[in-house]
Amino acid sequence: MPRRSGFRDRQLPGGRRHRYGLGPGAAGAALALVTAACVGCTSGGSASAPAAATTPPAAASATPAAGAADGALLQQDYTTTIRRVLPSVVEITTASGLGSGVVYDTAGHIVTNAHVVGSATSFKVVMAGSARPLPAKLTGSYPPDDLAVIQVTGARHLVPAHFADSSKLQVGDIVLAMGNPLGLASSVTDGIVSAVGRTVPEPPEGGKPGATLPDVIQTSAAINPGNSGGALVNLADQVVGIPTLAATDQQLGGAAPGIGFAIPSNIVTNIAGQIIRTGHVTNSHRAALGVEVQTVMGPSGQPAGVGVAAVTPGGPAAKAGLRPGDVITAVNGTATTDTETLASVLAGLRPGQQVSLNVTKADGSTTTIHLTLGQLPGS
């Protein structure tokens, strides 16, 4: 959204409480990229006859004419994909800003980011190729995965997007980011899938805590404010993700070029499907301890663990004997010096999984607690 930098530095002072239960929806882990805080591909050419012994391998196809033909085929793939998918990408306006969305079905449901809708319940939607805003209402929002669904009325000839199986993405796949960056309607940028399976933090905004997003796609396709909620698309005309964040370089104090992130399509379709069916999320697929926590500072003034501020009655932590005042210092042997690290560890775990916690009690004694993770609550 133009008034929301896609991925701002997150500064989490000690003492901040995160009410996420605590699952992966809590403040996320610092990325070892350029910040300390915080979307397939076709091939041209075909097999050729073996070359003579004196001819370098593949020399027969490495000609200017062959290269030009391959380039023309790739360009045609780009333009075809843009022509087919762009009609599914819309502009969403709220009282506080502007973002993007993707047409999900012929009933008018549009999937976008939770941070695009914010606290709003009504919106104006402009379809691709149109200048006439249409009214839309909130169907449901799930901030822990930064996803939301709205429903537009009065739209004709809706073109629902086709969503890919994001588990089949490979690093190097060509992707296009489609949306409305800085309010420039129906813009397209290109890049590749730079990495998959990232866990990234989303900064708090508007008084709401941030979230930790698991299994995120990293892409070199430019993602700018306003791209949020749009489409990350492969050259098979399928949406592989929903762009949501752009990394920030803390040293330079601005965006880090070529480092953007998108929520994978498998998570998008799962969460959006639940919201459309019931109005909320009934199965988050996200692990949780069942606590409210805050970072505890040590004598040196550095983070020294995650303090338990409150325990959910009947939750995993309560059943295992965790109490307010306890400090969690490690999960499954991984040190958890702050809430961001704890959230990152939990983002890689699943409900029902057994874990061990290293805990320092209020009297200074240490113990190891074993528990079975619960599920981050739905919306």
Side-chain angles (χ1 to χ4, degrees):
M1 302 175 70
R3 300 171 192 165
R4 177 189 192 276
S5 178
F7 189 114
R8 289 193 292 268
D9 296 338
R10 46 185 302 116
Q11 301 294 330
L12 295 175
R16 182 187 293 257
R17 292 172 65 171
H18 305 278
R19 297 178 179 269
Y20 276 100
L22 167 80
L31 283 175
L33 296 172
V34 293
T35 104
C38 155
V39 190
C41 175
T42 61
S43 60
S46 58
S48 57
T54 57
T55 303
S61 61
T63 64
D70 289 348
L73 288 173
L74 182 59
Q75 179 173 312
Q76 183 177 350
D77 286 343
Y78 271 56
T79 56
T80 298
T81 293
I82 293 169
R83 184 176 68 250
R84 291 176 177 173
V85 181
L86 204 55
S88 301
V89 181
V90 306
E91 179 181 288
I92 300 172
T93 303
T94 71
S96 59
L98 175 151
S100 304
V102 180
V103 177
Y104 193 81
D105 58 28
T106 57
H109 291 109
I110 295 169
V111 64
T112 185
N113 286 137
H115 77 253
V116 170
V117 303
S119 59
T121 58
S122 61
F123 315 90
K124 294 295 184 182
V125 173
V126 177
M127 314 301 292
S130 172
R132 181 170 65 95
L134 301 172
K137 297 291 184 181
L138 180 69
T139 302
S141 179
Y142 191 60
D145 278 323
D146 196 13
L147 290 170
V149 177
I150 66 175
Q151 187 172 22
V152 67
T153 56
R156 298 179 180 179
H157 310 299
L158 287 169
V159 182
H162 297 282
F163 287 81
D165 179 355
S166 55
S167 69
K168 296 181 180 180
L169 278 176
Q170 299 183 62
V171 174
D173 285 348
I174 294 176
V175 287
L176 308 177
M178 303 182 185
N180 306 281
L182 306 179
L184 299 172
S186 300
S187 292
V188 183
T189 58
D190 74 323
I192 63 169
V193 173
S194 304
V196 295
R198 295 288 194 200
T199 297
V200 300
E202 189 174 50
E205 181 180 24
K208 295 184 178 181
T212 298
L213 306 177
D215 299 324
V216 169
I217 302 163
Q218 180 183 333
T219 179
S220 61
I223 295 175
N224 293 292
N227 273 122
S228 293
L232 191 67
V233 182
N234 63 22
L235 295 188
D237 313 335
Q238 299 169 322
V239 175
V240 299
I242 300 295
T244 185
L245 302 170
T248 298
D249 188 328
Q250 286 187 315
Q251 293 183 342
L252 298 179
I259 304 179
F261 303 96
I263 301 167
S265 54
N266 286 2
I267 292 178
V268 173
T269 55
N270 184 283
I271 297 300
Q274 293 185 56
I275 292 174
I276 291 169
R277 288 192 300 271
T278 67
H280 57 277
V281 174
T282 57
N283 185 357
S284 69
H285 305 284
R286 306 279 295 269
L289 290 173
V291 292
E292 295 177 18
V293 297
Q294 61 187 25
T295 298
V296 173
M297 310 305 288
S300 65
Q302 298 299 312
V306 179
V308 178
V311 179
T312 303
K319 292 178 180 178
L322 275 178
R323 298 289 181 265
D326 291 346
V327 178
I328 302 170
T329 58
V331 177
N332 283 349
T334 300
T336 54
T337 56
D338 50 36
T339 57
E340 298 97 321
T341 306
L342 177 59
S344 178
V345 172
L346 289 173
L349 303 174
R350 292 292 179 264
Q353 188 170 344
Q354 292 187 336
V355 299
S356 61
L357 308 180
N358 293 355
V359 177
T360 300
K361 309 296 287 187
D363 61 4
S365 64
T366 60
T367 186
T368 299
I369 292 177
H370 301 274
L371 58 78
T372 301
L373 293 170
Q375 180 175 273
L376 189 70
S379 56

